[in-house]
Amino acid sequence: MSTPIYQLALGADFALLQPELQEYFSLAPGSGRYGVGEGVFEVVGCRQKWLRPLLRLAAGEESFFPEYGEGIRFRIENHAHLDPFGRSSLTARREIFFPGTTRLFHDTTSFDDSGGRHGLVDYVGRYRRLVTDLNLGVTAGGRLRGVSEASRLFLGPLRIPLPAALDAKAYAEQWWAPEEGPAGKHRIQVKVIQPQLGLVLVYAGHFDYRLEPYPDGQSAPGYLPDRARPERWEARS
């Protein structure tokens, strides 16, 4: 069984994470199991009403979306697998249950050690047309922090690096909150900020998490259920 990608990226710092986070991020290709999280976002979506029509144009990508809500239920599935190019990866499929509509948000995080690169890259959306580098760290209290760095767009054969003035950065933090509920809960908060537009997307909430076996004992390292598969894969990073 492969080493989990977050352990590959963090190295020795992986052991500094809260034990519950180490367990959460220990899913690896070939384990025969996938993760399921269910919970509530206290806030989720785009707070700026004037920006929502623009995000509606991107909703078909299953990444950004125009809705905003508070107290919104969500479900996430985490699938560890090898992508078609042999990279150890984690694909997340999120369902956000807004009143009247359900939004999907997909991404695949892969460990890339090709060429001069050594770390995590995140492919966002149903068509994987946007990729960003992830910079991870562990806080003194054992929380995981992540910041998206340089992003690139893939438009057919073109690979277009986004200049800093146009690029949006995601700032994420995840931790275990033992004081929440009788048994504690996972918590996450993410802000996506674009220099010209300000806060584009925010979500923050809590969830319970469990591991479930794949049907029929499926444990092939490259296995990914159809519901979590993107419309296309991207070999470039």
Side-chain angles (χ1 to χ4, degrees), residues 95-109:
E95 296 174 282
I96 305 170
F97 304 106
F98 289 105
T101 189
T102 297
R103 289 297 184 186
L104 297 179
F105 182 8
H106 293 258
D107 72 316
T108 295
T109 305

Side-chain angles (χ1 to χ4, degrees), residues 91-226:
T91 290
R93 180 182 188 270
R94 303 168 187 85
E95 296 174 282
I96 305 170
F97 304 106
F98 289 105
T101 189
T102 297
R103 289 297 184 186
L104 297 179
F105 182 8
H106 293 258
D107 72 316
T108 295
T109 305
S110 300
F111 184 77
D112 188 359
D113 59 357
S114 62
R117 190 183 303 279
H118 187 86
L120 297 183
V121 292
D122 191 41
Y123 296 87
V124 180
R126 179 180 178 186
Y127 296 94
R128 304 304 197 255
R129 281 192 269 252
L130 175 68
V131 64
T132 185
D133 299 330
L134 294 182
N135 183 13
L136 301 181
V138 182
T139 72
R143 299 183 179 191
L144 180 70
R145 283 184 179 165
V147 179
S148 67
E149 300 292 350
S151 300
R152 286 81 66 196
L153 282 175
F154 298 120
L155 301 177
L158 300 179
R159 179 185 184 277
I160 306 173
L162 293 180
L166 297 178
D167 199 2
K169 286 195 173 187
Y171 301 86
E173 185 165 297
Q174 186 165 335
W175 68 98
W176 173 254
E179 72 281 2
E180 296 211 15
K185 291 182 181 293
H186 288 274
R187 290 203 65 94
I188 187 168
Q189 61 182 24
V190 175
K191 293 181 179 180
V192 180
I193 300 174
Q194 203 277 339
Q196 312 304 321
L197 302 177
L199 183 63
V200 175
L201 181 72
V202 60
Y203 57 91
H206 58 80
F207 61 98
D208 297 310
Y209 192 71
R210 65 185 185 275
L211 296 177
E212 294 191 355
Y214 284 120
D216 304 320
Q218 181 61 253
S219 61
Y223 177 72
L224 184 63
D226 289 342

Side-chain angles (χ1 to χ4, degrees), residues 10-27:
L10 287 169
D13 284 351
F14 186 81
L16 302 178
L17 290 171
Q18 294 170 296
E20 294 82 4
L21 282 189
Q22 292 183 45
E23 182 178 1
Y24 180 91
F25 288 109
S26 288
L27 199 59

Side-chain angles (χ1 to χ4, degrees), residues 2 64 217 229:
S2 304
F64 296 104
R229 287 185 175 275

